[in-house]
Each structure stands twice: as C-alpha cells, then as structure tokens.
Amino acid sequence: MAESSPPSKKQCVTKSVIANEKRLLVETDSFKKWMLEILISRGFSSEEASDTATWAAATASYEVETHGPRKLLSLLDHEFTRSGNCVPHAKHEVLLTLGSVEVWDGNMKLGPAVAALAQARSAEMATSQGMGVVFVRNCNHFGWGPAYALEQVTKNDELLVGNATQGAIPIVTPIGGSNATIGSNAIAVALSTGLEECPTFLWDTGTAAMSWGEVQKCRLEGGDLRPGTCLDANGKPTLQAAHATSLLPAGTIGNALGAIIEVISASIGAGDPRVRSAPRDTLPDGEPSTCVFIFFALNLAIFDRLAFPRGCSRKENVARMVNAIYEDNRDARIVGLRKLRAKKRSEHHGGLLFARESIDAFKQEAETRGVQFPEVREIEVAVEQVVVAPK
C-alpha cells in the first residue's frame, strides 16, 4: 500500500487585511465568577448558574455579542419575564430512552444549563454507541449553540457534534408570506479538520437572513440593516432597525431549513409557533409556548477500519479534503475561520474581548444586582478581516 503524504498545515489560512480595533478586556475567571453571582442573585441554583456562566464565558471567548451573556440577561428581563418560560431550580426529566436516542422534558430549565447537559449526553452516547441524539422539549432559549458543540469536540476530536433549535419567538416570515410564523431557528455543527492552523470546521448559522440579536444590536449601536433581511409592520422591506418587526429567511435554503426544524420539533411535542413565548394566560388550554432543542453527535472513529484513498488514514483523508477545497483558492476560507481567529485573540490577550455596548449593559446589571463588575481594560487588537458572504 502506498504511503500517504502528510497533510499541509497551512492551506485553510488565507491572506487577509489586518485592522487595529479597540476592545474592552475582562479576565475570564473574573467574568465567570461575576456571571455566576448575577444568576444566583436572580434566583437560580448554583449548579445551573455555574453551567450557564461557563457557557457565557466560552461564548464570549469567540467574541459573540448577539447571542452571548448580554443577550441572556436581556431575555431574562423581557421575553422570559413575559412568557414565564424560564423557571429557576427546574429539573429536566428523561421521557424516552431508545438505544442512542433520548427525549427529555426540559421543564423550562434555564436554556444554557439544560443545553450543556444534553449536548454532553449526546457525545457520551456517541462515544459508546457510535451516535447519540437528545431531543429536549419544553425549553426556552440556549443562546450561541456552537459553544456546546465545541466543548465536546475539544474533549474528543473523534466526534462530529452539533445542535439545532427553534427560535424563542416567531420572528421569520416565510417566503411569500405576510406573517412571522417561524422562529429564527439555528444550526451548529463542529468537527476536527486535522490541520494545525484551523483545527475545527464550524458551521454556525441561523435560518433567517440575519439574527434578531443583530437587529437588537443595530438598535443599540446605530447603523442600517442589510438589504433583504427585515420587514416592517406593514410587511414591507426596511433598512431601519427601529422599524423592523420580522426577519426574512436566508433564501430558499433558509426557508426550508427553518420550516423543517419546526416540523421535526412538532414530532417531539412543540406547539403552534405563532404563540411561542406568549404569556401563559393568553394560551389555549394545553398549548405549549416553549421551544424544542435537538443535540446530536457522531463518533467518526467508527469509520477507521475502512480503506481510504492513497493509503491515508481517516484523519489524513479529512485533512486532504479540506486542503483540496481551500488550497490556493483565492479568498476562500474554511467555514468557521472567523470565530476561530476570535478565539485565538482572546487567548493571546488573556481574557474576554467585548464591545463597549456589552460592558455598559453588564455594568448596569451589576449596579441593579449589587454585584461588582470586574476590572475592565481598553486595549487595541489586531483583527484579520475575513471575507464573509451574506446569507
């Protein structure tokens, strides 16, 4: 059998423009401790607060502003307060166990806390049985989904790990429609590439043309929306965040993916999306207003006994495939490179990098809850500009 050639370690890295930008730096452990204390002050148990604080810091380490800790605090004050769909000290229940598939009832447990448990369980089943899928119904909102997948891939690089979720509110108007009847549903998939410079393939997408978190960010920070992303109250396209009342799908693919997540969720017990997150006293009897989460993992090591091209191992063949797609391919870059570079920036500077608007929101929360926010330092960071195609 011919010897395989070692995979190149550089090909998924593209030449890029470097810009210097201002960021606010907070030490990671100090931020986690602050987030833990904030959640406990809001009535959550130390266990669910700890799991959520870990997720919050992990999400912030990738410079995710729209679906990270700032978003969670907003949800607790607004959507969750209105709907009553987040219950401190709630315990999940396992409703069905069928081989490598489980169905849980989240019982409205804090989203990141139950999500971390379910993603870990999917990985555990995949490690022992080849694959694992956990469906969790009766949930609220779990924030940035890739954090849960990346945690498990970091622990075991033999796994492909991912998740999908219904958006917490019906905010997407399907193509040709006039009313928002689909959530801003999200999908994340992570797996190892075998390449040193960009070791993880990370697909992180919402099925809408943009996230509602991005709209909210635009409202806070100013700036126009991208064309073809939002509608106003009259169902007309708008570029002004203040006028946006619903999102458009990310083309025909986003339209289909968003709808199929809703339909699959119906098989697990999801209710009418038009009343998702509505106040309980407005719901018909027996109609849930919660979300369904889906977590999955596949143990790629089960394929190691197969033969691969040119005498490669499975891992070498994956690296060859990545190189074949991106090598000397102009500005093409591996999916997830932007987030991986953000993670490296956090590691290089020894903490979490935030925009000023997030720090302002955290300091307001600190004052309201009487929990002092950690020290903040303004620094200049070098940001490699990565080509990003619109949805």
Side-chain angles (χ1 to χ4, degrees), residues 63 341-349 353 382-384:
E63 296 184 31
R341 285 180 172 171
K343 177 70 170 179
K344 287 184 177 181
R345 283 195 295 274
S346 294
E347 292 171 348
H348 174 75
H349 290 285
L353 300 170
V383 179
E384 296 171 280

Side-chain angles (χ1 to χ4, degrees), residues 35-368:
M35 194 72 187
L36 171 71
E37 293 176 357
I38 284 293
L39 291 169
I40 290 174
S41 75
R42 283 175 170 268
F44 294 98
S45 71
S46 58
E47 181 182 10
E48 58 193 342
S50 177
D51 288 343
T52 301
T54 298
W55 161 83
T59 295
S61 73
Y62 289 89
E63 296 184 31
V64 175
E65 299 274 358
T66 59
H67 284 72
R70 172 176 155 191
K71 172 70 171 180
L72 176 63
L73 296 174
S74 176
L75 287 167
L76 288 168
D77 286 337
H78 299 101
E79 282 90 338
F80 294 171
T81 298
R82 182 182 67 248
S83 67
N85 284 348
C86 185
V87 179
H89 298 268
K91 301 290 185 182
H92 75 274
E93 299 175 72
V94 179
L95 303 178
L96 291 174
T97 300
L98 302 167
S100 58
V101 177
E102 292 186 355
V103 179
W104 296 4
D105 189 324
N107 286 322
M108 294 182 278
K109 185 180 181 70
L110 183 61
V114 73
L117 295 173
Q119 191 78 82
R121 178 57 180 152
S122 74
E124 180 184 30
M125 289 191 290
T127 300
S128 62
Q129 302 181 60
M131 65 175 292
V133 183
V134 179
F135 298 92
V136 189
R137 67 183 195 178
N138 211 14
C139 298
N140 37 71
H141 191 295
F142 69 16
W144 194 58
Y148 312 110
L150 288 164
E151 179 183 8
Q152 300 307 318
V153 170
T154 301
K155 291 178 179 178
N156 183 353
D157 68 2
E158 305 283 9
L159 299 179
L160 177 155
V161 185
N163 49 69
T165 179
Q166 291 180 301
I169 53 176
I171 200 65
V172 179
T173 299
I175 291 176
S178 58
N179 299 310
T181 54
I182 296 176
S184 181
N185 301 336
I187 303 169
V189 178
L191 72 156
S192 174
T193 65
L195 295 173
E196 184 177 322
E197 288 294 326
C198 34
T200 308
F201 177 102
L202 174 62
W203 184 38
D204 163 28
T205 188
T207 55
M210 70 187 304
S211 73
W212 193 246
E214 289 176 283
V215 176
Q216 292 173 318
K217 188 169 183 285
C218 282
R219 286 178 177 173
L220 289 170
E221 300 174 10
D224 290 338
L225 302 169
R226 296 194 305 273
T229 59
C230 295
L231 301 178
D232 63 18
N234 297 315
K236 302 295 184 182
T238 182
L239 299 180
Q240 297 185 44
H243 295 168
T245 58
S246 72
L247 304 171
L248 287 167
T252 56
I253 294 176
N255 195 56
L257 287 173
I260 200 167
I261 290 172
E262 299 288 354
V263 174
I264 292 172
S265 298
S267 294
I268 316 303
D272 187 331
R274 294 171 295 182
V275 297
R276 194 147 63 232
S277 293
R280 292 186 194 177
D281 59 5
T282 66
L283 298 172
D285 289 344
E287 186 71 49
S289 62
T290 49
C291 302
V292 166
F293 299 163
I294 305 168
F295 303 90
F296 54 88
L298 175 65
N299 187 353
L300 299 173
I302 64 176
F303 305 122
D304 282 345
R305 287 173 288 181
L306 300 175
F308 292 90
R310 300 175 63 182
C312 286
S313 68
R314 172 184 58 83
K315 288 186 174 181
E316 289 170 340
N317 204 47
V318 170
R320 277 188 351 117
M321 180 64 75
V322 174
N323 280 343
I325 295 169
Y326 298 105
E327 181 178 4
D328 297 327
N329 201 357
R330 201 173 174 181
D331 291 329
R333 49 92 180 178
I334 190 168
V335 178
L337 180 60
R338 189 163 54 118
K339 290 292 192 294
L340 296 176
R341 285 180 172 171
K343 177 70 170 179
K344 287 184 177 181
R345 283 195 295 274
S346 294
E347 292 171 348
H348 174 75
H349 290 285
L352 306 176
L353 300 170
F354 292 102
R356 182 168 299 281
E357 292 77 13
S358 288
I359 294 297
D360 289 345
F362 296 148
K363 287 185 174 180
Q364 183 177 352
E365 176 76 10
E367 183 178 351
T368 300

